[in-house]
Each structure stands twice: as structure tokens, then as C-alpha cells.
Amino acid sequence: MRTNYDVIIIGSGIVGSLTARYLSAYDINILVVEKESDVGMNTSSANSAIIHSGYDPAPNTLKAAMNSLGNRLWHTLAPELGIAFKESGSYVVAIGAGELPVLRGLYERGIANSIPGLKIINKAEFLTREPLINPDVSGALWAPTAAVIDPFGAVLAAAENAVVNGAEYLFETEFTGFISGGDKITGIKTTRGDFSCKWVVNSAGIHSGEIAKKAGTRKDFIITPRKGSYLVFDPVKLSINNVLFPVPTDKGKGTLVSTTTHGNVMIGPNNEPCENMDDSATTRAGVEEVLKGAKKLVPSIDQKNVIAMYAGIRASGNAGRDFVIDIPVEIKGLVNLCGIESPGFASAPAIALKVVELLKSAGFELKEKPGWIPVRKPAPHLHTLSLKERAELTAKNPAYGRIVCRCEEITEGEIIDAMRSPVPARTYDGIKRRTWLGTGRCQGSFDMPRVIQIMAREMGIPETEVTKKGGGSEIVFRKTKEVPAR
Amino acid sequence: MKKIYDVVVIGAGPAGLSAAIEAKKSGAGDVLIIERNNEPGGILLQCIHNGFGSVIFKKDLPGPAYAWNFIEQARSLNVEMVFDTMVVDITGGRKIYASNSVEGFIELDAKAIVLAMGCRERTRAQIMAPGDRPAGVFTAGMVQRLVNIEGYMPGKNFVILGSGDIGMIMARRLTLEGAKVIKIIELLPYLTGLRRNYVQCLQDFGIPLELSTTIKRITGKKRVEAVETVGVDETLTPIAGTERVIACDSLILSVGLVPENELSRKAGVVLDPLTLGPVVDETMATNVPGIFAAGNVVTIYDLVDYVSMAGATAGISAAKFAAGAPVSPPAFTLTPGDGVRTVMPQKITGLSGPDASVLVELRASREFAGRVSVNILEDENIVYSHVEKYARPAEMITLKINWNETAKKLSNNKSGLKVNIAKI
């Protein structure tokens, strides 16, 4: 493969992958390096999955500008890239008379940020919209432009679209240092060798601070990772009509109650310190805090119906609680995208377009590529189709008839699609994230042995080399009757 | 495959096979079993240990051998079976939608349906085991399939959470395959599986069991590296200072089974919040006319023999319904009283057959060390009583009741009956 690119992007999260996608419209060579085994494995796939409307960031910050533009962009980008996206709107719900004045403050901040459609609604009306809400509700702030997104699906869509348009991705490839000549970065070192380039985009999420520092930039910038836990519920046991936020505190937007694009109620996050940069372990205290927070809004939430739990890490920086999106003055050839915490996902398309703009204004020649394909058609999800459509697809491809995951009804055909897509799944978790396999109430205990077989066959490897999430996470390690000699 | 069947059975495990066999024997013409696995037998196929058939065959058989008796019978009776086929929807009008890679999308009608989908295992999230999410966390049944059917070892050093039967049986199996089972821990202050499995699978192999202990944290980025255990008090609350870190590469969860009723729900079948299975009468009829249920889909059994018997009852009832026999509405309800956690059937017609024999399966809600009487009560009046040497939540109690005899003792003309367990 080539070792010489125009732009190298470090990190394949939503910011890195959308940057690759927008840059793929130009006649340049793009490489995305990712230390994990798949796109968007950290913050981008473990977050609240909300495209915030933009009332929350302080006016005149980058966060405010990126959020409101990003929100507008998502409403057309999501259908263009075939991303599961629900124009749900959101509520901030005041519980008790004491919280009611906070709604007014948020409303006014939203007006300052030019957020359309905000409205404060009264208790009686809100009770009809969300019957399960805490009866002490005193009012709610309605933000109609907020939306719910499939976060991993969005990263994947951006990455696939970038790849279809010529960008390259390298996984399990860790950035180890910059190569520079004089006052300019000329490439990067990685665990898979050196690559030269004209520009580096630092979109490394929680590690973006360390990388900025390695380039001799942003010396005072520190990311203090904070984790947030999420719980996902059995859709048969709990359903909620709306996206519900509590009133925010100085610690953040608080624990929300929402319904994912897949139809599961999801609650979270809390806000707790990490033991290290990669600590995304859930804790008993954290899980209890999330339950308590969510029960403040919906008292009937019952932990018995939880089917999955996980934590994500926020890339919280110390730059006045704002995003860092700039070309540093200390060295040429670098764009820093640091401290992209909430509302990072909502802001991501605006940040990616800002990168294009920054590169142009720095004199980098970006010539539009003829034949750029902006649209992506996602692989079919059979359980979302009508019985007639399923029958038609199955008639064309019998693998769509063999259901491998009983709870989510995911077929062998969908697994094969995931393994043959432009950014192919190469791990069990990669298939899970792409197809929803194993995400139901049995959490993969039925499908896993079958999926291991399919993966081994498709990849042409023995079952013992099939992994959950990349090298070192093998699932089975030898055949039975091969007892090692003592 | 045909478009209309007299009886369609969902699941070719022990309940489903028996149901199909008895439906055929009772005169049903076209009987079909739809099975999602690629062969009949259900979970018995991966239960290669012995201990099956003591009631029906008076023999100590391995699971596949027990299953084979029924598979052969079903085949010789020309029960139609379709494999690798998943039912995705059932309507209250007994229309069935299924899918496979040969016929594609399948739509058919059944005059009667027997639900025999079995159960699934409780998972990590349901017990709120926090920590990292590496490879190496398995349910016991999944490990059983990987080892016994697929022929792969999923780890070298195991900790097992939960003293249920599958966990103990897998502890022995993994040890025999050369793995190290470090210990089994159990949240409750007592063993939750059968005592004979404790003796034969743990004691005989020197595998320690630690009661009143749970998992505080799972550690490992890629593969499990360690689990942190913690002791719990009588209220099951962790006791600070009792944490211990155990290095291992695998954690097996054997923390209970849940009847699998997503299809039942779609068909409008009413579920019991205690058993988590359909509310049935002694003919195994659900509330939806023509839909019957049997086996672990109804309530979690200890012994497969009783699953087969319930399947047989359901099959006979389904054949009768398909032939147009009138439906007898239930006359009585059975609900758990003191000392009882679950009871099945929840309803009784009292009209089944000349001997009116009714099998009642129940579980105690707590441990009773000494002799107990298991009673059926009409108000305070005991209408049936049966003595057991002890009662434990882990061991199902089966009552064989001659309902004609019992009904004679009913005086107050009440339809609501209770089952209790009392110390003697």
C-alpha cells in the first residue's frame, strides 16, 4: 500500500470520519489511522445518541456555533448517508416548582443561539405527552429540532462513504509520533510504519490532547476524561414517548431518558472520574447513580428490565469548556480538533466542514473531484421491513432467510453484508454494531457460536482466530481433546 | 410444506417432540414441528452428561440418548419437521410466519399450535455485573454449546457465578477437558442447583463453592484478566472490605433461566408475572383458543421427564382442539400462598379425562429444612395435602392430584384456590 498521502486523519470517530467524508469530495489522497479494530469504538459509539438542538452551549462559543449549524446539517446529511435518525425533538423537564425558572433561562440562551421553535409548555399538557413522567413535573422546555441518531451507524456511514470515494482506513494502527521537517509536519509514525503527508488532522478524541502536545502545540491543554454510564432496556417492558432531559447542573446536562433509533429505552449518563485515559468500565455506584437520575424523571423505571450497560468517556478539555478547532501557529501542517465533548456528535458535520474551510484558508489546494458520490445506501435490516419486502429479499438471497440472532431476528445475509461492506466488520462486536445482532435480551448467547462459524468461513480463518474486538480478544482458543501436556 | 396443518409445534426440544408425537397418536393428521436449530432434540443435544429419564424410562440416560427415543418415535409417526427455521410471528388467529434459507419466507395456518420454545439464560446485564466488556464473559449454556457441540474450549481459567445446575455441570466438563475451574460463587446463602450436581460435579473434583458472594467488577480490555468478588449480607448488599481479586480469563454466568415468550406475547397469550410463562390450565391450554404451551416456555423445570409429560398433555389437547372438540373453560384458579413462589398450572378445568389426573408443578419461595406439607386450600380448608422431606427453591415439587377426589372436598363453592407449604 502507499505511504504517501495528502491528508492523514488520526482517529476514526464521528469527527474524523465525517472529515474524511467531506474531504473525499476533493482530488486528494486521504488516510485515516485508527488504533482500535473498527471505526468509532470509543466516545462516538458510547454517548447519549442525541443531536442536541443547541440551546445549551454558552452564546458566542464554538460549541454554540458548531452545535446549531451541525444540527441543521444532520437533518439532510442523515438521509443522504442512510443513517437511522429520528426527528424526535427533546424536552428539558422541570420537577417541582423550584426547577421551573431554569427553563426560562435555557429558553433565553436558546434564543441567543438562534435555536428555532423553542417553547415552554405547562404541566397539564406535558402529562398528556408523557404519561409515565414524575407527577411532580412543573413544566418542560420543548426543542423541536433535537433528534435521536444511531451513533455507530452514523460513524460507519461516514466512513463507508469516504471509502467509496477513495479514502483509506487502517485499523489497529496506533499513532506514535510526528515526523517534521523544520517548521512543518511532514508525516506520522505509527505501529504499522511511517506515512508522509501534507496535513494531519488530529481528531483523536480523548487522546487528542496528548497528540497536540507531541506536535509542540496546545501545551496547556489537558483532557480530563470523565465517564458516563448508560443502561438499555427491553423494549417489551418499557416504552417512553419522548427524549427527556432533567434541568442541567454545573456538572452537565444530567441523566436523560430517551428511546434509541432501534426502539430501546436508554438512560444515562452520569459523570464520574476515570482511573486512566481508557477506563470505560461501569461501576456499581455509577449504575446506581444513573438509575436514580432517570427515576427522578420516570419513577417506574425498573432495573430488572435492563438488557445492556456500558460507559463512554467524554473528551473534556480545559479550553474554557469550549472546543478547540484550529490550525496552530507553532507548526505548519496540523489541524487540532480537541476537547470535542457534548455536543460533539451534534456538531460533528459543522466541525468537519470547518476543517475543509481551515485547510482552504491555509492555502491547501482542494479541487473538487468529478464523480464524487455523496449518497450512501445502507445494507438492509430485515426486521425493519414488511413481510412482503422480506419475502422478496429472501427469494433473491436465501441467506436473508436464515435467522441467526433470535431476539433481533438478524439473518446470515445481513452478517455477510456487514463483512463485505466498504468498511468491513472483522470482529464479533463489529458485526454486532452494524447489524444489531446480539443486542437483544439474550445478548448473543444464542447467536455467538453460529456467528463464529460464519466469520471463520467468510474470513478464511480458523475459529480460534475470530475475535470479539480485535487481536487479544479471541473467543475460543483450542479444540476440545487437545489437552496440553502437563 | 403444506399451507394448513392440524397441529404446528414451535420447537423440537423435549416438550415439542412429545407434543407432536402425542398429537399424532391422538389422531391429528398433519403435524409439523418448526425448529430453529439444524436438528431435533433442543438443548438435550448439548447435555451430554447423564441424569435424564429417571421417571419415564427408569434409566439414567445422557441428554442426546433421551432425546433420541422421542426423535425416532416422531419420525416413525411421520411427524413433519423443518429445521434451521425461525418463527417470527404468530397471530391470535393461529397464522404462523417463519423464515429459512430454503423456502424463504413462510406463511401457514394451524388449527392448533403448541408453544415449546423453551427458555433462555439470564445475562450479565440482568445481574448488573459492572466493569469492562472484554471477550471471555459467557453464559453457561453458551459454553456448553461451544464445548459439546462445536468442540471448542473458550478459556483456560474459569470463575463461575451462580450455583445453578448448568454452571456446576460445566465446571466438571471444563475440568475434564483440561481447564482450571478456580471456584463457583453464589449470591444467595444456599445452593441454587440440585444437590446431586453439587456432589458429583464440584465435591468430586475439588472445586470450591463460595456462598453469599457476587461479582463486583470484571477487568480486562480485550479478554477477561480478573474478576473482583465481594461478600454480601442477608439483604444481598455487598460488604465493604470483603473484596478479592481473582485472576482468570473467563467468567461463566449460571444465573438462571427465563421462559422465552416473545412469540407468545405476539399471539396475545397472557403471561404469569411469577413464572414468566403463559398462564395455562392442566390441559396446557393458554387463554388464546387453540394455542397450547408446554415445557420450559411455561415454567422452568428441573427434570426433563416432566417436560415430556407436559408436552404430551399439550399435544393431546391440541389434537382434540384441531378436531373440533369443545373447549372447557377453567373452573378454578391456583395461586401461590405462603412458602410458594410459583405454581403451574394456574387454572384448572377439572374435566380432563376419566381419572382427572392433574400435575401441579411448584417451587418453594424459601428453604424448609425439615418435613413440610404442601397443601391446596379453599379459604382455610385443606382440600389436598402431600408430605415432602424438605422444600428448597432449587427443587421443583410435583404434585399428582386426582382432581375428582380433591373436588369432593370443596365445600364453599369457591373458584380461587391457594397452594402453600407449611412446616410439620
Side-chain angles (χ1 to χ4, degrees):
Chain A
M1 71 171 286
R2 61 186 299 146
T3 56
N4 177 13
Y5 292 87
D6 294 306
V7 177
I8 293 179
I9 298 168
I10 307 171
S12 71
I14 190 60
V15 173
S17 289
L18 275 176
T19 301
R21 187 264 177 179
Y22 281 115
L23 282 175
S24 72
Y26 302 97
D27 200 6
I28 54 171
N29 295 309
I30 302 161
L31 174 69
V32 182
V33 294
E34 170 57 59
K35 72 179 168 62
E36 305 289 349
S37 58
D38 202 350
V39 293
M41 278 198 36
N42 291 319
T43 312
S44 291
S45 54
N47 56 66
S48 297
I50 303 290
I51 301 305
H52 298 283
S53 61
Y55 58 77
D56 189 63
N60 305 315
T61 57
L62 271 175
K63 275 188 182 174
M66 294 293 115
N67 186 349
S68 70
L69 174 59
N71 179 292
R72 284 206 299 282
L73 289 167
W74 271 122
H75 284 263
T76 51
L77 184 61
E80 197 168 48
L81 292 181
I83 299 167
F85 187 82
K86 206 167 56 181
E87 293 181 328
S88 59
S90 72
Y91 292 95
V92 179
V93 184
I95 304 294
E99 289 185 354
L100 201 51
V102 183
L103 299 185
R104 178 53 58 183
L106 289 174
Y107 174 83
E108 273 155 18
R109 209 193 299 168
I111 298 301
N113 289 345
S114 310
I115 307 307
L118 296 176
K119 192 183 164 199
I120 293 177
I121 62 167
N122 65 27
K123 172 177 182 156
E125 192 182 342
F126 191 67
L127 278 169
T128 65
R129 295 188 189 186
E130 195 62 70
L132 291 181
I133 198 73
N134 184 336
D136 293 334
V137 57
S138 52
L141 172 67
W142 167 236
T145 55
V148 180
I149 197 164
D150 166 11
F152 177 80
V155 182
L156 179 70
E160 285 190 354
N161 190 234
V163 167
V164 163
N165 286 300
E168 291 170 38
Y169 274 68
L170 264 186
F171 296 104
E172 296 189 86
T173 305
E174 191 166 353
F175 165 88
T176 54
F178 286 103
I179 304 166
S180 48
D183 62 346
K184 188 174 171 11
I185 287 172
T186 57
I188 62 164
K189 296 178 176 160
T190 78
T191 49
R192 280 184 204 266
D194 297 352
F195 298 92
S196 62
C197 63
K198 298 183 180 123
W199 283 93
V200 174
V201 177
N202 168 16
S203 55
I206 45 180
H207 297 287
S208 58
E210 304 151 42
I211 288 174
K213 217 164 281 153
K214 275 196 175 153
T217 67
R218 290 276 162 186
K219 288 183 183 119
D220 302 325
F221 182 80
I222 297 167
I223 285 181
T224 310
R226 306 279 301 174
K227 65 186 170 186
S229 294
Y230 294 92
L231 307 181
V232 178
F233 290 81
D234 185 339
V236 170
K237 303 287 173 58
L238 179 65
S239 80
I240 299 286
N241 300 335
N242 299 292
V243 174
L244 310 171
F245 286 95
V247 299
T249 65
D250 54 353
K251 279 173 83 184
K253 290 193 255 308
T255 301
L256 88 153
V257 177
S258 163
T259 304
T260 66
T261 55
H262 195 57
N264 303 79
V265 171
M266 181 181 88
I267 65 173
N270 64 332
N271 191 330
E272 60 183 311
C274 296
E275 287 177 10
N276 54 57
M277 287 308 252
D278 296 305
D279 169 24
S280 61
T282 52
T283 63
R284 185 178 284 265
V287 166
E288 276 163 13
E289 198 180 342
V290 166
L291 278 166
K292 189 176 160 212
K295 282 180 180 173
K296 182 188 162 194
L297 296 177
V298 181
S300 59
I301 282 175
D302 185 347
Q303 69 182 75
K304 274 211 303 279
N305 300 321
V306 171
I307 59 171
M309 54 190 224
Y310 54 88
I313 309 172
R314 302 173 177 85
S316 303
N318 61 346
R321 297 188 68 175
D322 204 359
F323 297 152
V324 171
I325 305 170
D326 63 14
I327 293 178
V329 292
E330 296 92 334
I331 195 153
K332 289 186 183 126
L334 176 66
V335 182
N336 273 327
L337 306 173
C338 309
I340 313 295
E341 58 177 334
S342 178
F345 215 102
S347 306
I351 296 171
L353 284 176
K354 180 87 180 166
V355 173
V356 177
E357 206 178 287
L358 283 170
L359 290 175
K360 280 183 180 167
S361 64
F364 183 46
E365 197 195 339
L366 287 173
K367 206 170 73 203
E368 280 183 28
K369 189 160 61 185
W372 181 59
I373 305 160
V375 177
R376 166 190 172 262
K377 192 170 174 289
H381 288 300
L382 268 82
H383 63 279
T384 64
L385 303 179
S386 69
L387 298 181
K388 188 168 165 279
E389 290 168 313
R390 282 170 85 151
E392 282 167 10
L393 270 179
T394 309
K396 272 189 236 151
N397 177 2
Y400 286 131
R402 185 179 176 226
I403 295 175
V404 173
C405 162
R406 62 179 167 192
C407 306
E408 300 299 317
E409 292 175 13
I410 310 303
T411 65
E412 183 166 0
E414 290 162 87
I415 296 170
I416 293 171
D417 287 347
M419 299 192 73
R420 295 181 184 172
S421 79
V423 181
R426 303 176 315 152
T427 64
Y428 178 85
D429 281 0
I431 292 172
K432 178 174 172 174
R433 289 186 158 112
R434 282 164 180 78
T435 62
W436 297 95
L437 163 137
T439 61
R441 50 188 76 80
C442 100
Q443 290 287 300
S445 46
F446 179 79
D447 69 62
M448 195 186 261
R450 290 160 174 84
V451 176
I452 292 172
Q453 272 180 5
I454 296 170
M455 288 176 71
R457 186 191 72 207
E458 278 292 306
M459 295 167 82
I461 56 173
E463 273 88 343
T464 48
E465 285 174 25
V466 171
T467 71
K468 181 174 194 296
K469 41 168 44 167
S473 66
E474 288 73 19
I475 299 164
V476 296
F477 79 100
R478 66 165 163 89
K479 290 213 146 197
T480 51
K481 311 299 172 212
E482 287 176 0
V483 182
R486 283 179 199 269
Chain B
M1 276 172 77
K2 301 186 174 65
K3 283 279 159 209
I4 301 175
Y5 286 86
D6 292 306
V7 177
V8 174
V9 179
I10 319 292
L17 285 168
S18 270
I21 290 165
E22 294 305 320
K24 266 279 184 192
K25 284 187 187 164
S26 307
D30 295 320
V31 177
L32 170 72
I33 308 183
I34 304 177
E35 166 58 41
R36 63 187 172 204
N37 205 350
N38 56 1
E39 54 186 331
I43 220 72
L44 283 167
L45 299 179
Q46 65 187 54
C47 298
I48 62 171
H49 53 282
N50 56 354
F52 300 91
S54 59
V55 181
I56 291 183
F57 300 111
K58 312 284 180 230
K59 275 186 194 166
D60 191 16
L61 300 171
Y66 180 95
W68 188 245
N69 283 294
F70 294 91
I71 295 167
E72 274 198 315
Q73 263 197 77
R75 285 194 174 138
S76 67
L77 288 166
N78 292 322
V79 169
E80 189 178 341
M81 292 190 244
V82 52
F83 303 112
D84 248 326
T85 305
M86 190 82 82
V87 175
V88 296
D89 202 2
I90 300 176
T91 68
R94 298 189 301 281
K95 203 171 256 308
I96 295 171
Y97 299 92
S99 172
N100 69 22
S101 56
V102 180
E103 279 102 338
F105 210 77
I106 300 159
E107 185 183 334
L108 49 88
D109 287 287
K111 291 181 190 162
I113 294 174
V114 178
L115 305 172
M117 293 87 76
C119 58
R120 64 165 180 271
E121 298 178 274
R122 292 178 75 215
T123 65
R124 175 176 175 181
Q126 279 142 15
I127 55 161
M128 293 271 182
D132 292 322
R133 304 205 302 156
V137 181
F138 303 101
T139 55
M142 195 206 299
V143 172
Q144 194 173 43
R145 180 174 175 106
L146 282 172
V147 176
N148 293 349
I149 305 265
E150 316 287 341
Y152 285 102
M153 288 296 283
K156 297 172 187 168
N157 299 295
F158 292 81
V159 170
I160 300 179
L161 172 64
S163 59
D165 292 315
I166 317 169
M168 291 196 282
I169 285 160
M170 285 319 292
R172 174 177 65 182
R173 181 82 186 98
L174 291 165
T175 306
L176 289 171
E177 281 294 344
K180 169 85 184 152
V181 178
I182 300 163
K183 64 167 72 166
I184 293 196
I185 62 173
E186 168 59 55
L187 173 73
L188 297 171
Y190 52 82
L191 187 74
T192 61
L194 299 175
R195 217 172 275 277
R196 73 162 194 227
N197 282 328
Y198 173 68
V199 175
Q200 294 170 7
C201 301
L202 302 193
Q203 277 191 330
D204 288 359
F205 290 85
I207 298 166
L209 169 68
E210 202 168 293
L211 299 173
S212 297
T213 305
T214 192
I215 296 288
K216 187 178 176 186
R217 181 171 177 173
I218 298 166
T219 316
K221 276 283 144 202
K222 295 281 193 173
R223 176 83 199 194
V224 173
E225 287 162 18
V227 294
E228 188 178 340
T229 66
V230 63
V232 298
D233 63 18
E234 311 80 63
T235 63
L236 307 183
T237 310
I239 306 166
T242 59
E243 291 86 355
R244 235 176 299 167
V245 175
I246 307 170
C248 59
D249 63 15
S250 308
L251 172 67
I252 296 183
L253 305 174
S254 177
V255 290
L257 302 170
V258 186
E260 189 157 301
N261 280 288
E262 280 62 47
L263 288 175
S264 321
R265 215 176 261 121
K266 287 182 182 176
V269 169
V270 171
L271 304 181
D272 177 341
L274 300 171
T275 57
L276 305 177
V279 170
V280 290
D281 64 28
E282 81 278 21
T283 72
M284 306 314 287
T286 69
N287 64 301
V288 181
I291 299 187
F292 302 82
N296 279 341
V297 78
V298 176
T299 188
I300 304 299
Y301 286 78
D302 295 339
L303 293 182
V304 69
D305 303 71
Y306 291 112
V307 169
S308 295
M309 290 181 200
T313 304
I316 294 166
S317 307
K320 280 186 192 162
F321 185 92
V327 179
S328 327
F332 307 98
T333 60
L334 272 185
T335 52
D338 188 46
V340 176
R341 195 177 79 212
T342 62
V343 60
M344 190 287 302
Q346 297 85 345
K347 299 196 168 183
I348 291 178
T349 66
L351 300 169
S352 54
D355 63 342
S357 166
V358 173
L359 275 187
V360 174
E361 308 278 7
L362 61 106
R363 277 183 196 276
S365 59
R366 56 179 189 270
E367 297 261 313
F368 292 85
R371 272 159 44 98
V372 293
S373 66
V374 185
N375 309 306
I376 296 182
L377 302 153
E378 183 192 39
D379 296 328
E380 299 307 307
N381 174 28
I382 295 177
V383 296
Y384 171 88
S385 189
H386 165 84
V387 175
E388 289 277 338
K389 277 182 250 170
Y390 59 88
R392 303 177 54 220
E395 293 179 34
M396 186 173 246
I397 297 171
T398 302
L399 309 176
K400 286 190 201 80
I401 303 173
N402 180 321
W403 196 259
N404 287 342
E405 291 299 314
T406 301
K408 282 180 200 156
K409 299 188 188 141
L410 294 169
S411 52
N412 300 344
N413 210 17
K414 283 280 174 70
S415 62
L417 307 177
K418 270 202 184 329
V419 186
N420 77 358
I421 298 178
K423 268 194 205 161
I424 300 180

